[in-house]
């Protein structure tokens, strides 16, 4: 799927910045933080525009948030089935301690956790830390 096709599928108007940001994700094969994106797009580093684009991608089901270590939020491309009303991301995320890459394991769901009475789950996140398949062990 190309950036243009993604925008069309999710009924977002095509703008240069949206296309550029989506292309970054399509080529990155890992989750990206707002800062990663700002650094790559030095020439038109308008933080507000980047922030708004990311926000609409999340609302439309193109990207989902990945909780990284600390307070960093990264974003990753959604699977084919996500759309604005149904967006499920209870899968494992993995962060490499060596290269810092964070990736989605869409095929590994987070196990259901039984919470004590009186607690209601809204969402769960699982970040596994380790060494990825591209880094020396
Ligand atoms: Zn999604
Ligand atoms: Zn790595
Ligand atoms: Zn993910």
């Amino acid at each position: 799927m190309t950036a243009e096709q993604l925008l069309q599928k999710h009924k977002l108007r095509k703008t240069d910045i949206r296309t550029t940001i989506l292309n970054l994700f399509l080529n990155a094969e890992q989750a990206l933080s707002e800062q990663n994106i700002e650094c790559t797009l030095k020439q038109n580093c308008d933080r507000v525009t980047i922030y708004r684009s990311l926000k609409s991608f999340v609302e439309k089901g193109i990207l989902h948030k990945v909780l990284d270590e600390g307070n960093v939020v990264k974003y990753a491309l959604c699977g084919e089935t996500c759309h604005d009303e149904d967006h499920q991301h209870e899968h494992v995320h993995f962060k490499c301690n060596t290269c810092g890459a964070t990736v989605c394991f869409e095929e590994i769901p987070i196990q259901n956790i039984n919470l004590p009475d009186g607690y209601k789950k809204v969402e769960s996140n699982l970040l596994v830390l380790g060494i990825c398949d591209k880094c020396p062990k």
Side-chain angles (χ1 to χ4, degrees):
M1 185 105 56
T2 65
E4 285 80 5
Q5 287 168 331
L6 274 172
L7 289 172
Q8 201 178 27
K9 181 181 165 203
H10 295 274
K11 300 187 181 65
L12 277 173
R13 202 164 47 85
K14 187 180 145 197
T15 62
D16 284 348
I17 189 82
R18 283 176 179 165
T19 314
T20 310
I21 294 176
L22 281 182
N23 275 322
L24 288 182
F25 280 97
L26 289 165
N27 296 322
E29 292 178 344
Q30 58 171 270
L32 300 172
S33 67
E34 227 176 295
Q35 211 194 358
N36 293 148
I37 297 165
E38 279 168 24
C39 295
T40 319
L41 305 181
K42 280 185 203 88
Q43 75 281 22
N44 41 11
C45 189
D46 176 358
R47 298 189 59 179
V48 179
T49 315
I50 295 173
Y51 173 79
R52 283 206 198 114
S53 305
L54 290 171
K55 194 162 172 275
S56 53
F57 292 156
V58 170
E59 282 167 4
K60 292 290 183 181
I62 300 178
L63 297 180
H64 60 279
K65 287 188 182 181
V66 178
L67 298 181
D68 211 74
E69 281 177 289
N71 296 320
V72 180
V73 175
K74 287 185 174 177
Y75 298 85
L77 281 174
C78 286
E80 299 262 316
T81 54
C82 273
H83 55 83
D84 51 356
E85 267 142 40
D86 187 20
H87 223 346
Q88 277 301 324
H89 308 105
E90 300 222 338
H91 54 251
V92 170
H93 290 118
F94 182 95
K95 170 149 187 185
C96 177
N97 287 334
T98 306
C99 67
T102 306
V103 294
C104 292
F105 288 144
E106 304 251 12
E107 66 285 6
I108 310 178
I110 298 177
Q111 306 294 323
N112 202 26
I113 296 162
N114 290 317
L115 294 173
D117 283 350
Y119 290 82
K120 184 181 176 294
K121 189 190 88 170
V122 175
E123 60 170 51
S124 50
N125 291 286
L126 180 58
L127 181 70
V128 177
L129 301 174
I131 303 168
C132 77
D133 61 353
K134 296 181 187 70
C135 287
K137 308 290 178 298

